[in-house]
Amino acid sequence: MDDIKTLHGVGEQRAKLFARKGIKTVEDLLYYFPREHEDRTHFSQISECNVGETVCISAKVFSPVKETRIRKNFTVYSMVIFDDTGAMNVIWYNNRYVKGMFQTGEEMLFYGRVEESRKRKELQNPVYEKADKQRFIGKIVPVYPLTGGLTQKNIQSAMEEALKTCGIIDEYLPQSIRKKYNIAEINFAMHNIHFPKDASCYEQARKRFIFEELFL
């Protein structure tokens, strides 16, 4: 398959980071399987969020991001979000990229852990997306082993592109073998090992690649 640099969003520098994991081609990337998945399919209203939980929230931006420098090399970025049931603070630490990313009244999706500060609930360091540009919230999302310089979003985005651009993968297991052992077709398995539709689809995909590892 093609060099990984052919994928949208993977340039020369990022390709070098992937190479540290032995990932040099699109095929290498497709066979870089996640270590686990996060289920981001269930949304909670703000009033339902409990401290210690990791939640998905669909809410509107009430206020712009506020920057507060606590000390040298430690800055807090915060804003307020709301839905029909209440409001909540959202906090990021040392993430200057969030400043200017949100518009008042904008509908956003968030995924993060709920903590308590000064007896008030807040969402800390969440992943976020615009509600009309939903990608990695509202689905089951892969979590990959990382190497220095690469983030989960880097790998998830590259994998999404790889699955789009690789086309139809030729099936290499005979139909008789797949039927005998109830083995999933390769294209179904490849998509569902990374971005499974549900737990059942993931288990079918996982079974396929375990079979290959043991017998091929």
Side-chain angles (χ1 to χ4, degrees), residues 142-157:
V143 179
Y144 297 95
L146 294 178
T147 188
L150 284 175
T151 67
Q152 288 296 337
K153 192 169 184 179
N154 292 154
I155 303 178
Q156 290 161 357
S157 296

Side-chain angles (χ1 to χ4, degrees), residues 129-145:
E129 296 175 343
K130 292 185 178 182
D132 61 352
K133 294 183 178 180
Q134 187 173 355
R135 291 180 66 195
F136 301 124
I137 300 177
K139 63 169 65 174
I140 299 173
V141 176
V143 179
Y144 297 95

Side-chain angles (χ1 to χ4, degrees), residues 101-208:
M101 289 294 295
F102 306 95
Q103 301 294 324
T104 300
E106 187 175 31
E107 187 79 28
M108 299 292 299
L109 306 177
F110 299 90
Y111 175 78
R113 185 175 175 85
V114 180
E115 299 291 357
E116 187 174 50
S117 177
R118 299 177 183 176
K119 298 184 178 180
R120 298 181 64 182
K121 292 183 291 186
E122 63 183 27
L123 197 62
Q124 292 192 357
N125 295 307
V127 177
Y128 57 88
E129 296 175 343
K130 292 185 178 182
D132 61 352
K133 294 183 178 180
Q134 187 173 355
R135 291 180 66 195
F136 301 124
I137 300 177
K139 63 169 65 174
I140 299 173
V141 176
V143 179
Y144 297 95
L146 294 178
T147 188
L150 284 175
T151 67
Q152 288 296 337
K153 192 169 184 179
N154 292 154
I155 303 178
Q156 290 161 357
S157 296
M159 195 66 72
E160 191 178 54
E161 284 296 314
L163 290 167
K164 287 179 184 176
T165 60
C166 71
I168 303 299
I169 303 172
D170 292 334
E171 179 58 79
Y172 43 85
L173 286 181
Q175 186 174 0
S176 59
I177 296 295
R178 289 196 292 113
K179 185 175 181 180
K180 180 178 179 179
Y181 295 102
N182 192 25
I183 300 298
E185 186 269 338
I186 182 58
N187 291 279
F188 173 93
M190 189 60 76
H191 281 78
N192 281 280
I193 199 71
H194 294 289
F195 295 97
K197 182 179 179 181
D198 53 36
S200 175
C201 290
Y202 171 72
E203 286 304 322
Q204 292 178 61
R206 183 170 173 269
K207 180 181 177 181
R208 159 94 192 206

